[in-house]
Amino acid sequence: MRCPHCGNYIENTIWEALKPYRGVTDRVVITNIDTILDVGPRIRAIFEEKNGKLKIRGYQAVTLKKVARALRVPLYYIERIDDRVRLFEFDRYQRVNSGEFLRADHLIPVFSGSVEEFGDWIYRKYILHTPPSSKGRKKWWR
């Protein structure tokens, strides 16, 4: 399969398995999700990390937006350079303009600081007040 923007082949197991169907799968987008934050009884957020430069391909932004919207969770992009982290939220209901890369003005700055400070931010925002997943549930043994 080819990237719809740069034309390079994207190699992974799914693409390799779909090689015989290349002409049929031009509308297929396969992307990975870097991090899913699952705390307590539910998924809390989706994070996509970019090291060094915040270049987000448009087709990946659309796919991640669909996943975040379906799960009703925020979608964040992390830009990390050494020990510094900048976090941006992407409004999962906004339209993604066509183009190779997502424009920077589509991202909402949320956090800037060290990796340790970022951990504190995640803890305060998503972990601190979340009830444990086993509270009030029966335990199932395998």
Side-chain angles (χ1 to χ4, degrees):
M1 298 296 157
R2 289 182 185 259
C3 166
H5 297 288
C6 68
N8 292 332
Y9 280 101
I10 301 170
E11 296 299 329
N12 65 24
T13 304
I14 294 174
W15 282 128
E16 188 176 333
L18 292 175
K19 274 184 182 178
Y21 308 100
R22 279 210 175 117
V24 179
T25 57
D26 292 340
R27 297 171 300 188
V28 173
V29 174
I30 294 178
T31 189
N32 65 346
I33 298 174
D34 289 339
T35 305
I36 296 175
L37 185 63
D38 188 358
V39 180
R42 59 181 293 248
I43 292 172
R44 298 291 179 184
I46 295 174
F47 294 88
E48 181 66 22
E49 186 166 349
K50 303 296 181 183
N51 290 315
K53 197 167 188 182
L54 197 62
K55 289 184 91 173
I56 303 157
R57 298 214 175 264
Y59 69 88
Q60 184 183 38
V62 170
T63 302
L64 292 175
K65 177 182 87 162
K66 289 177 183 179
V67 173
R69 196 167 47 209
L71 294 173
R72 294 186 219 151
V73 298
L75 170 59
Y76 295 106
Y77 288 98
I78 301 169
E79 179 184 44
R80 180 175 177 182
I81 301 172
D82 299 324
D83 189 42
R84 302 303 299 168
V85 174
R86 291 185 347 160
L87 182 69
F88 301 89
E89 186 171 355
F90 183 76
D91 178 1
R92 60 186 190 234
Y93 294 102
Q94 73 179 323
R95 182 183 164 107
V96 177
N97 292 334
S98 61
E100 189 172 346
F101 294 101
L102 190 64
R103 292 190 347 232
D105 63 344
H106 285 170
L107 301 173
I108 304 160
V110 175
F111 171 84
S112 181
S114 70
V115 173
E116 185 177 302
E117 292 168 329
F118 182 48
D120 291 341
W121 182 86
I122 292 172
Y123 179 77
R124 285 190 318 275
K125 180 141 176 99
Y126 291 108
I127 300 171
L128 183 62
H129 303 291
T130 302
S133 59
S134 62
K135 186 178 181 181
R137 290 186 178 183
K138 293 180 182 177
K139 292 193 177 201
W140 296 95
W141 303 99
R142 292 179 192 199

